[in-house]
Amino acid sequence: MCGIIGYVGDEAAAPIVYQGLENLEYRGYDSAGIALVNGARATGGSRATGGSRTTGDVAPDVAADGGLTVAKRSGEVSNLTVPDAPDATCGIGHTRWSTHGPPTDANAHPHVDCAESIAVVHNGIIENHETLKAELGDHEFTSQTDTEVVPHLLETELSETAGEDAPDLRTAVERVVDRLEGSYAVCAIHADENRIVAARDGSPLVVGHGEDAAFLASDVTAFLEHTREVTYLEDGDVVDLSADGDVEVFAPSDDAAESLPRRPVDRSVETVEWEADAAEKAGYEHYMRKEIHEQPTALRQTLSGRVDVDRARVDLDVSLPEAFLERVEEVQIVACGTSYYAGRYAARLIESFADVRTTVEIASEYEFGAGRDPDRTLTIAVTQSGETADTLGAIRRADSAGARTLAVTNTLGSSVTRAVDDAVFIRAGPEIGVAATKTFASQVTTLALLAVALGRERGTLSAARARSVLEDLRGLPGAVQQALDAEADVVTAAERYCDEDAFFFLGRDLGVPVALEGALKLKEIAYDHAEGFPAGELKHGPLALVTDRTPVLAVLTEGGAPAETMTNVTEAQTRGADAIGCVSADREFGTLDVAFEVPDVGLLEPLVANVYFQLFAYHVANEKGRAIDKPRNLAKSVTVE
Ligand code: F6R
C-alpha cells in the first residue's frame, strides 16, 4: 500500500529509483513519481534556493525548480518518463495506492514545498492533516493529499533556522513527524544536499546497505538486486542516509531529562536470504502464475528441517512455555483476506489435534471480549506481509489484554514480528502478485505443523496420528506438483466457462475455507461474481441464484466430506448448472462435467484443490485480458485500516 524507494550514493539515482518503483509496484499502481537532487547544485553547504535545472527533454512530467527534478504521473510506473539526470546521485520515488485524493498527476507523490526545494514521499495516513494545513496559513497547496502538509511543515521548520551554516534536514524531519498523527513512513530530500532523511511510525521502512551507497524502501524487494544487507527500522525511528552510504538511526529518547527528542541508536544489520531473482518473473507472463508454480518449492522450504516423522515431532523454532501449553484454553486466530481463510483451515486442525477451542476472526472485527481469560489465551496473527494494519491492530489489542501472541508471517523484520511474543516464518519466498497464492499453502502448512506440535506437547495427538499427518505434509509438495502438471486441463475448463454469469464454490469442513478462497481469487483477478458457500447452505438460499449460466466448483476430497458435498453439487446440476469438481484419486463422481484429480494427502487434499482453483481463476482472468498482477483498486500490502 504505497511503495517508497530512496537511493543516495555515487551512481545515477534515476534508473535505480525507477527500477525500485517497478519492483514495488505491487504495493500500489494509481500513480508514480520520482524526485532527484540535481547533481550540479548538490554540493552540500548553504541552503540558498534558486538555480533550477531545465529538463525539457522529459517535459511535461518534470518540473525543475529550486534544484530538484520532479517527475510524476498518474497510472502505472510505465507511464512515468525517467528523468535524464546522470549527475543526480540522490533521489526518492513513490508508487501510490490512493487514500486521500483521486489518482491524478497532481496527487501523485513526491510532493514539494512552496520553494520546490524539499520533496517528500509518504506511505500511510496523516489523520490531522486538515489541522496542520490550517496552521500553515498561506502556503500554496496543489494537491488533495494528506501528504502535502509535510514538505510545507519542513519548509517552515527550515526557514526558522535559516542563516545557520547548513540546513538541518534531520532536525526538521524529527520536529515535523512528532506533530503527525496517524501512520507514516516519510522520506524527504532537500535540493542542497545529497542526503535522505526518513522516519517511520506504523508503516514499514527498511534500509539497504550498499558499497558507498544507501537505499531505503518499504520492502527489501525494491533493492534486492543491489544489496541483501538490511536494517529494519522501528516505529519512532528517524534515519539519515548520507552521500557516502553512511546510515545513522535516531530513536525516541526514553529519558525525559534529555534535551533532544531522539538519540543515536545501533540497529542490527541483517542479511536477507531471498535471492534477488526470486522477486523476478523468470520467463512467466505474470508473477501470479510464477508463484502458483513455485508452490512445491515454497512448501519444501516451509517444511525444511521442521519435521521428524520417526519421533512424531515438529521443530518450529518457537517454544511456548510448557506451563502455558498446559493451561491454554483458547487459541484465537486473527487475519484478513486469504490469510483469514488459511486461519479457518488451520483452526479445524488445531481443534482436532490439540483439543483446544480455536476461534478465527476477521482482524478488523476483533475485540478481546469480556469473559475470556488472557492468561489462558494464545492469539495468532496470520499475515503474509506482516504489515496489514487491521491485523496489527488486532494483535496489539490481544497483547494489551494480556494474551500470549504469536505471528505466522512471510516477512522477516516486518511490523508484526515486533508486536508479538513469538514469530514463526512460513518461508514461502517473496510474493509479488497482488493475489496471494503460494503463501496460502505455506501458511496452512506452517499452522498445520503448529497444530501437530501443540497436539504432541499437550498429549492430545497420538504419535501414530502425528506421523500420518507429517507424512501427508511431506507428500504435499509432490501432490501440488501433480495438480500443476494438469494445468492444460484447467486451461480448457477456463476457456469453456470464462464467459458465464457467476461462479459458486462449494465445500464442507476443510473444503469451506478453500471454497471461500477460490471465490476470492476469481473475484479479485477476473472481476467475476464468485461466491463460496458451505455446500450444505446452498439449499438455504443461494440455490435461488443457480442457473445454467452459473457453474459450481466443488471440493470433493478427503477432509471435505466429499459424498455429502456431491449431494449439494447434484442439487445445483439439477437446476442446470455445470459442475467442476476436485476429486480424491480414489473416488469417482461420474456426473461431474469436469473433474480434476487430487492425489492422496489426507487432510491436506483441499489444499491441492485450491491449486486447481488458483489456476482456474488465473486462466479465466487471462482469457479476459485482466491486469492479473495488478487488479483494479487493490494493492498487496494493506497498511491502512
Ligand atoms: C488476496 C489477498 C489479500 C490478503 C490480505 C491480508 O489474494 O492477498 O486478501 O490476504 O490483504 O494480507 P496479509 O496476509 O499480508 O496480512
Side-chain angles (χ1 to χ4, degrees):
M1 187 138 293
C2 295
I4 288 178
I5 170 81
Y7 169 80
V8 58
D10 51 13
E11 290 180 47
I16 295 173
V17 171
Y18 185 83
Q19 178 64 54
L21 290 181
E22 286 190 323
N23 296 349
L24 285 175
E25 202 170 15
Y26 67 90
R27 299 181 71 90
Y29 28 86
D30 287 338
S31 63
I34 291 178
L36 302 166
V37 178
N38 290 340
R41 293 187 59 251
T43 52
S46 79
R47 202 194 313 141
T49 52
S52 64
R53 182 168 172 272
T54 315
T55 52
D57 51 336
V58 286
D61 273 314
V62 175
D65 278 314
L68 293 177
T69 295
V70 180
K72 53 190 201 172
R73 181 67 93 199
S74 60
E76 298 191 359
V77 173
S78 56
N79 287 359
L80 188 68
T81 311
V82 191
D84 178 20
D87 294 338
T89 56
C90 174
I92 56 178
H94 186 268
T95 171
R96 178 167 187 246
W97 186 84
S98 315
T99 53
H100 289 76
T104 58
D105 288 355
N107 288 333
H109 300 214
H111 292 285
V112 295
D113 63 323
C114 299
E116 298 184 2
S117 294
I118 299 161
V120 168
V121 291
H122 163 228
N123 170 21
I125 292 182
I126 299 168
E127 284 160 8
N128 58 338
H129 70 280
E130 294 287 0
T131 315
L132 294 169
K133 194 169 172 178
E135 284 169 22
L136 279 162
D138 58 1
H139 281 251
E140 194 190 330
F141 285 83
T142 56
S143 81
Q144 297 147 286
T145 65
D146 52 341
T147 305
E148 202 182 357
V149 293
V150 179
H152 292 281
L153 289 167
L154 288 171
E155 182 176 33
T156 307
E157 287 294 340
L158 287 171
S159 70
E160 276 173 15
T161 52
E164 290 174 17
D165 285 342
D168 191 0
L169 187 58
R170 177 170 69 79
T171 307
V173 168
E174 287 193 17
R175 287 185 189 150
V176 168
V177 296
D178 288 345
R179 295 178 63 193
L180 304 181
E181 288 167 17
S183 65
Y184 56 80
V186 283
C187 186
I189 53 174
H190 190 285
D192 292 339
E193 284 187 293
N194 281 332
R195 174 189 192 189
I196 300 174
V197 179
R200 72 157 276 176
D201 197 0
S203 297
L205 211 49
V206 56
V207 172
H209 304 274
E211 216 163 286
D212 300 325
F215 303 81
L216 192 70
S218 306
D219 187 325
V220 293
T221 53
F223 53 66
L224 262 187
E225 58 261 63
H226 301 286
T227 180
R228 286 163 45 187
E229 304 297 303
V230 305
T231 297
Y232 295 100
L233 298 177
E234 306 267 339
D235 278 346
D237 282 357
V238 168
V239 66
D240 197 339
L241 314 183
S242 60
D244 53 7
D246 271 2
V247 175
E248 287 180 286
V249 183
F250 300 85
S253 169
D254 302 330
D255 183 354
E258 276 185 44
S259 56
L260 289 170
R262 283 181 178 73
R263 62 188 152 70
V265 283
D266 281 332
R267 294 260 178 262
S268 59
V269 177
E270 295 174 38
T271 305
V272 177
E273 284 176 15
W274 293 347
E275 297 296 335
D277 60 6
E280 288 167 9
K281 277 193 205 149
Y284 286 90
E285 197 184 336
H286 297 102
Y287 282 112
M288 183 181 176
R289 184 155 172 263
K290 174 185 175 237
E291 288 157 3
I292 292 172
H293 278 264
E294 280 174 348
Q295 287 178 102
T297 308
L299 287 166
R300 284 190 189 98
Q301 285 168 188
T302 305
L303 294 166
S304 171
R306 289 174 161 172
V307 175
D308 184 340
V309 178
D310 293 341
R311 291 172 55 230
R313 298 223 78 86
V314 164
D315 179 4
L316 267 181
D317 340 305
V318 53
S319 52
L320 301 170
E322 224 168 278
F324 175 74
L325 287 176
E326 270 166 29
R327 68 175 186 268
V328 68
E329 270 176 1
E330 181 179 351
V331 174
Q332 305 175 336
I333 298 177
V334 292
C336 306
T338 293
S339 298
Y340 168 76
Y341 299 138
R344 295 246 327 230
Y345 200 121
R348 292 249 166 168
L349 301 181
I350 295 172
E351 284 201 330
S352 156
F353 299 168
D355 191 24
V356 58
R357 187 161 79 95
T358 307
T359 55
V360 196
E361 274 193 68
I362 299 270
S364 55
E365 294 293 319
Y366 170 82
E367 293 299 336
F368 196 93
R372 285 164 153 168
D373 181 352
D375 198 41
R376 293 172 185 272
T377 303
L378 173 66
T379 310
I380 306 175
V382 183
T383 164
Q384 183 285 129
S385 61
E387 301 293 349
T388 300
D390 290 331
T391 307
L392 288 171
I395 201 73
R396 286 181 182 134
R397 286 196 284 283
D399 181 61
S400 336
R404 192 170 180 100
T405 54
L406 173 72
V408 174
T409 182
N410 197 29
T411 315
L412 195 81
S414 58
S415 299
V416 79
T417 60
R418 286 182 293 246
V420 289
D421 297 314
D422 299 287
V424 176
F425 294 96
I426 66 169
R427 304 178 183 163
E431 188 176 70
I432 310 294
V434 165
T437 51
K438 63 177 176 173
T439 53
F440 177 80
S442 287
Q443 284 170 335
V444 175
T445 299
T446 308
L447 288 160
L449 290 173
L450 181 71
V452 172
L454 289 177
R456 293 298 291 144
E457 283 174 50
R458 283 166 62 83
T460 49
L461 184 69
S462 71
R465 179 104 200 276
R467 269 190 213 107
S468 152
V469 174
L470 294 177
E471 284 290 11
D472 287 338
L473 279 165
R474 283 215 305 212
L476 185 59
V480 166
Q481 188 58 56
Q482 284 188 48
L484 294 171
D485 292 344
E487 186 172 10
D489 298 337
V490 187
V491 174
T492 306
E495 285 168 355
R496 180 166 161 192
Y497 293 110
C498 66
D499 291 324
E500 298 299 21
D501 291 346
F503 300 83
F504 299 122
F505 289 74
L506 303 180
R508 284 174 180 253
D509 195 354
L510 295 170
V512 175
V514 167
L516 295 168
E517 169 62 7
L520 177 65
K521 284 298 89 109
L522 199 56
K523 272 185 249 203
E524 65 178 330
I525 62 163
Y527 316 154
D528 273 317
H529 177 214
E531 283 189 68
F533 300 110
E537 274 296 290
L538 196 63
K539 58 188 176 294
H540 296 290
L543 198 54
L545 297 171
V546 169
T547 70
D548 59 358
R549 298 299 311 274
T550 59
V552 294
L553 293 93
V555 182
L556 297 163
T557 67
E558 181 74 24
E564 292 85 343
T565 306
M566 190 59 207
T567 303
N568 306 118
V569 169
T570 308
E571 288 159 5
Q573 285 181 300
T574 308
R575 273 86 190 166
D578 269 15
I580 302 167
C582 301
V583 187
S584 299
D586 60 353
R587 281 182 189 267
E588 205 175 341
F589 294 111
T591 54
L592 288 171
D593 297 285
V594 179
F596 298 125
E597 186 179 301
V598 174
D600 174 12
V601 278
L603 296 179
L604 306 169
E605 288 186 20
L607 278 185
V608 183
N610 189 54
V611 175
Y612 284 115
F613 290 167
Q614 291 170 345
L615 289 171
F616 184 77
Y618 174 85
H619 287 290
V620 168
N622 207 27
E623 280 294 314
K624 297 186 163 187
R626 303 293 193 221
I628 291 180
D629 283 336
K630 289 177 270 181
R632 69 183 176 205
N633 306 335
L634 300 180
K636 186 147 190 79
S637 186
V638 187
T639 55
V640 292
E641 285 185 342

